[in-house]
């Protein structure tokens, strides 16, 4: 199931990157009147960080749940019968 979630999240990330227009350049004003420009590359790097954070947390939770999961019961081992005893 982990690979399906990771694959689905990767597909969503790819679609999100494709939806960001390459010519995106928008002026923004930050705290304290700081002026800057928001570009497509900044948005894509932000999306990459969000993707990595979500996938990383999911995979760490999956790994830790496997580490502390109860061990499955050992399969019963059947011993082969001695052919000499079985024929008599």
């Amino acid at each position: 199931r982990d690979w399906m979630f990771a694959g689905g999240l990767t597909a969503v990330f790819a679609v999100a990157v494709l939806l960001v227009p390459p010519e995106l350049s928008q002026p923004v004003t930050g705290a304290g009147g700081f002026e800057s420009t928001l570009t497509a590359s900044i948005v894509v790097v932000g999306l990459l960080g969000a993707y990595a954070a979500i996938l990383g947390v999911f995979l760490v939770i999956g790994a830790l749940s496997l580490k502390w999961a109860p061990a499955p019961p050992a399969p019963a081992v059947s011993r082969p019968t001695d052919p000499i005893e079985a024929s008599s």
Side-chain angles (χ1 to χ4, degrees):
R1 290 186 335 199
D2 292 346
W3 66 270
M4 288 187 344
F5 177 80
L9 186 63
T10 302
V12 169
F13 171 67
V15 169
V17 168
L18 289 174
L19 291 177
V20 175
E23 66 278 354
L24 177 69
S25 180
Q26 181 176 356
V28 293
T29 303
F34 176 74
E35 293 186 14
S36 184
T37 303
L38 179 67
T39 61
S41 60
I42 294 172
V43 172
V44 170
V45 168
L47 288 172
L48 177 63
Y51 164 78
I54 293 169
L55 187 61
V57 168
F58 178 79
L59 292 177
V60 166
I61 290 171
L64 292 176
S65 65
L66 281 177
K67 179 179 179 179
W68 287 302
V77 178
S78 62
R79 296 186 180 189
T81 58
D82 188 9
I84 296 173
E85 291 178 12
S87 64
S88 43

